[in-house]
Amino acid sequence: MPSQNNKTISAVETTLDILAALGKLEPVGLSDLASHLDIPTSTVFIHLNTLVQRDYVVKESGQYRRSFRFLEVGGSVRQRLDIGRLLRNKVEELSRETGEIAGAGIEENGQRVILYRSSGGKAAGDEIPIGNHTEMHWTSLGKAILAHLPVDKRNQIVAEHGLPRGTDNTLSSRSDLEAALERIRDQGYAIDDEEHLRGVRGVAVPIFNDEQDVMVSLGITGPRDRFTSGYMANLLEILRYTKNEIEVRSQYYEYSTIDG
């Protein structure tokens, strides 16, 4: 029997062959395109008509060409790559500037996932690896995202994962959590006051896209004795500056895919 990994859908392959041919011949008529591909004209027409109806191909005066919808798709991919690279660089800059542990997190399947992490010269604290999944409600990175998710999404996360305790400081009731998330939305940042690990504190800010949907969070963590209120206030100013730069540049990446 053929391997499951080798199975393909012939109709999809035909559509992709048509799009590849359009890239070489466009604008091109139906008959010439069918002849080039050695595919029945009726088959090519059905595929083209589907692509036209879905706005991926434009038909003008009997000639077909790919639409600018592909620019949108490609731009979206490029934006993700560019923002990922920017985020990684900013995490590394934060760790160098502050000397502490800097990280970026994202929500996946109701948990906080570490995307990037970098340790500065005086860093001390947890040894959490990149890719680590943990509860949203007991880290500053997680709470910064959780506070800005739609209500239905927050409810779903709490229903599925509950509010387990990491330490005695963990928010373990729904009322306490909602009050904390409201404060985070009002003040624009989240704090982990030894809620995940004893002796470790942290501060994080959410990063939004141009539609004001939270994308990721950016934060700094370190030992309780050094992370006093005044020290964390200074770190917060650095985080806010970096947050603003990332958000502005992320919009530039989005629009440069159209303008450039």
Side-chain angles (χ1 to χ4, degrees), residues 179-194:
L181 297 181
E182 184 174 357
R183 286 195 299 273
I184 291 168
R185 288 190 291 271
D186 289 341
Q187 63 196 16
Y189 64 91
I191 286 178
D192 169 7
D193 187 10
E194 300 183 79

Side-chain angles (χ1 to χ4, degrees), residues 159-172:
E160 291 182 0
H161 295 272
L163 298 173
R165 282 186 177 274
T167 72
D168 292 340
N169 288 357
T170 306
L171 298 168
S172 57

Side-chain angles (χ1 to χ4, degrees), residues 44-96:
V44 176
F45 174 77
I46 292 172
H47 285 266
L48 283 174
N49 194 49
T50 301
L51 290 167
V52 169
Q53 293 298 320
R54 297 300 295 268
D55 296 328
Y56 283 94
V57 166
V58 174
K59 181 181 180 181
E60 295 174 333
S61 302
Q63 301 282 298
Y64 294 89
R65 65 170 175 81
R66 293 167 300 171
S67 79
F68 287 107
R69 175 62 64 88
F70 287 100
L71 184 61
E72 177 184 356
V73 174
S76 175
V77 173
R78 197 188 92 173
Q79 183 187 8
R80 290 185 64 182
L81 294 174
D82 286 341
I83 294 306
R85 190 180 303 113
L86 172 63
L87 195 60
R88 180 190 63 204
N89 291 341
K90 289 304 175 183
V91 166
E92 293 173 354
E93 286 181 17
L94 281 172
S95 66
R96 288 195 300 269

